[in-house]
Amino acid sequence: MMSGSRLVSRLIIFSIISTTFFTVESIRLFPDSFDEASSDFTEAPAYQNGLECSVLAKNRLLLACDPSAVHIAMTLDPAYLRGTVSAVHSILKHTSCPQNIFFHFIASGSSHGSLAKTLSSVFPSLSFKVYSFDETMVKNLISSSIRQALDSPLNYARSYLSEILSSCVSRVIYLDSDVIVVDDIQKLWKISLSGSRTIGAPEYCHANFTKYFTENFWSDRKLSSAFDSKTPCYFNTGVMVIDLDRWREGDYTRKIENWMKIQKEDKRIYELGSLPPFLLVFGGDIEAIDHQWNQHGLGGDNIVSSCRSLHPGPVSLIHWSGKGKPWVRLDDGKPCPIDYLWAPYDLHKSQRQYLQYNQELEIL
């Protein structure tokens, strides 16, 4: 975990170094092929377990179902591959037991084989499995939102984790691809979900909850009664601890789908992609996790890629939710100060200039 002041210090130094020595190169956001994508990244360092770590199965098939392992689920979208690679790199770098982590990646269409090849080339020792997501499960339920990227079927894969992942996986951390972790992910993994709660996430009860739904929703007593006897707060679905056994028992995927059907077929009750159905099903009934595990909103809002600062307090996970992504802003030569905190984890070859200064940053 890093203090906010230490991160700010790193930010200032990185900004000075980059201004002095770095010339932004123009690169393609999308490779011509996934074989080419493999060669676009440098190989990550080999991270080893500390002496205090439990000895788990080295066989990846066994580790995929081992409840003693830390299980992390992420989507694999070609448009966000660079972000995913950086997120994985940050997790491995800061955890005490990197060999005890198993990654469950979800990809659409026929690209999952090539994406797996890319991951293997960047992280030769990484324990992971790539699952193919059938977009037809959700495609007809998606209604347009305020930002086109939110309409991607893969953005809804988080609602289907209990069905996509093997039934032997009983608990998982879901992470978006636009995050970096600067603390030991095992701390997040060990958080208990009390009572019958199915998910844990940082809650933001100061946010105006009503704005996440339309007047059509709030004026319909039958629909808005979903929050009767609850005190719902906004939470961001880009960082969640999920009890998949409880999810399966509660059949929460169908409950989310039912709200999506109302939105698609009956009346427009929200504007913001996959988030509102989660709020409707789980709002007011989640395990509240410390805010340090999701310093989100650093990509601006869903319309404008604006620069924002870290929230006060300790920082364990930094999240560029919103329109602006650090790799895009860095490549365009228009980075926000906060983007320099993402750069040291970037393994894309176009950003080797940043990596040369990791050692200087580590001493701060």
Side-chain angles (χ1 to χ4, degrees):
M1 178 181 67
M2 293 189 185
S3 67
S5 60
R6 186 182 176 202
L7 280 170
V8 170
S9 296
R10 290 184 64 177
L11 231 172
I12 294 170
I13 295 296
F14 215 129
S15 180
I16 293 171
I17 289 171
S18 300
T19 301
T20 306
F21 295 105
F22 181 69
T23 301
V24 176
E25 297 179 4
S26 177
I27 67 165
R28 295 185 305 277
L29 290 179
F30 302 96
D32 294 332
S33 69
F34 287 106
D35 285 337
E36 181 184 328
S38 299
S39 64
D40 282 345
F41 294 92
T42 58
E43 184 176 317
Y47 295 104
Q48 305 293 323
N49 279 358
L51 295 177
E52 73 280 10
C53 300
S54 302
V55 179
L56 303 184
K58 292 185 178 180
N59 184 300
R60 296 183 185 184
L61 292 177
L62 295 177
L63 193 62
C65 289
D66 192 334
S68 299
V70 175
H71 294 268
I72 299 174
M74 302 180 73
T75 57
L76 268 184
D77 185 333
Y80 289 84
L81 180 60
R82 192 163 157 192
T84 303
V85 168
S86 298
V88 172
H89 185 202
S90 72
I91 292 166
L92 298 177
K93 181 177 176 64
H94 291 288
T95 187
S96 54
C97 302
Q99 293 171 295
N100 292 359
I101 298 177
F102 193 91
F103 287 88
H104 304 263
F105 294 109
I106 301 144
S108 294
S110 60
S111 65
H112 61 280
S114 299
L115 289 166
K117 181 179 178 181
T118 298
L119 288 171
S120 293
S121 69
V122 180
F123 304 103
S125 301
L126 191 69
S127 295
F128 72 92
K129 178 178 179 179
V130 179
Y131 303 76
S132 181
F133 179 52
D134 182 4
E135 294 186 353
T136 61
M137 291 195 300
V138 71
K139 212 162 192 176
N140 292 330
L141 294 173
I142 298 174
S143 55
S144 61
S145 62
I146 62 174
R147 182 158 62 93
Q148 188 175 1
L150 300 177
D151 299 338
S152 166
L154 199 57
N155 190 44
Y156 290 80
R158 72 195 78 193
S159 304
Y160 294 88
L161 293 176
S162 65
E163 299 175 9
I164 298 170
L165 273 55
S166 304
S167 59
C168 62
V169 183
S170 59
R171 179 182 171 97
V172 72
I173 296 172
Y174 175 82
L175 297 176
D176 275 349
S177 296
D178 51 0
V179 308
I180 58 169
V181 179
V182 294
D183 202 349
D184 194 335
I185 196 70
Q186 293 202 59
K187 296 178 184 177
L188 182 59
W189 177 253
K190 291 176 180 177
I191 289 174
S192 298
L193 301 181
S194 59
S196 60
R197 286 173 174 162
T198 301
I199 67 174
E203 281 188 313
Y204 302 89
C205 295
H206 64 279
N208 180 6
F209 190 80
T210 60
K211 73 177 184 179
Y212 293 99
F213 302 95
T214 66
E215 182 60 31
N216 287 335
F217 173 82
W218 293 114
S219 63
D220 189 316
R221 188 67 192 94
K222 183 178 180 182
L223 297 178
S224 60
S225 65
F227 295 122
D228 284 357
S229 73
K230 292 183 178 181
T231 307
C233 295
Y234 161 74
F235 63 93
N236 180 279
T237 57
V239 180
M240 297 184 288
V241 179
I242 305 174
D243 186 316
L244 291 175
D245 286 341
R246 292 177 185 171
W247 185 293
R248 294 175 182 118
E249 291 169 5
D251 199 18
Y252 288 114
T253 296
R254 303 288 86 77
K255 293 175 181 178
I256 287 174
E257 286 183 334
N258 287 339
W259 284 110
M260 294 176 68
K261 289 176 182 176
I262 292 173
Q263 163 83 350
K264 184 76 173 181
E265 302 170 2
D266 187 7
K267 61 177 68 175
R268 194 164 182 85
I269 58 175
Y270 55 81
E271 304 288 350
L272 200 59
S274 62
L275 170 65
F278 265 85
L279 297 178
L280 285 160
V281 173
F282 295 107
D285 193 25
I286 73 167
E287 189 72 32
I289 294 174
D290 196 287
H291 289 179
Q292 71 192 63
W293 282 104
N294 195 353
Q295 287 255 355
H296 70 294
L298 300 178
D301 60 29
N302 281 295
I303 306 298
V304 180
S305 174
S306 55
C307 293
R308 293 182 177 178
S309 302
L310 288 170
H311 312 303
V315 182
S316 293
L317 183 147
I318 307 174
H319 187 186
W320 280 261
S321 59
K323 185 177 181 180
K325 303 306 172 189
W327 57 93
V328 176
R329 297 194 296 212
L330 285 163
D331 288 346
D332 288 344
K334 300 176 181 178
C336 294
I338 195 70
D339 298 339
Y340 293 115
L341 294 179
W342 178 88
Y345 305 97
D346 184 14
L347 294 174
H348 200 277
K349 289 180 180 177
S350 69
Q351 302 299 345
R352 282 176 295 181
Q353 293 94 329
Y354 283 121
L355 299 178
Q356 294 171 7
Y357 304 106
N358 277 355
Q359 189 172 4
E360 287 90 336
L361 293 173
E362 285 301 316
I363 66 174
L364 297 174

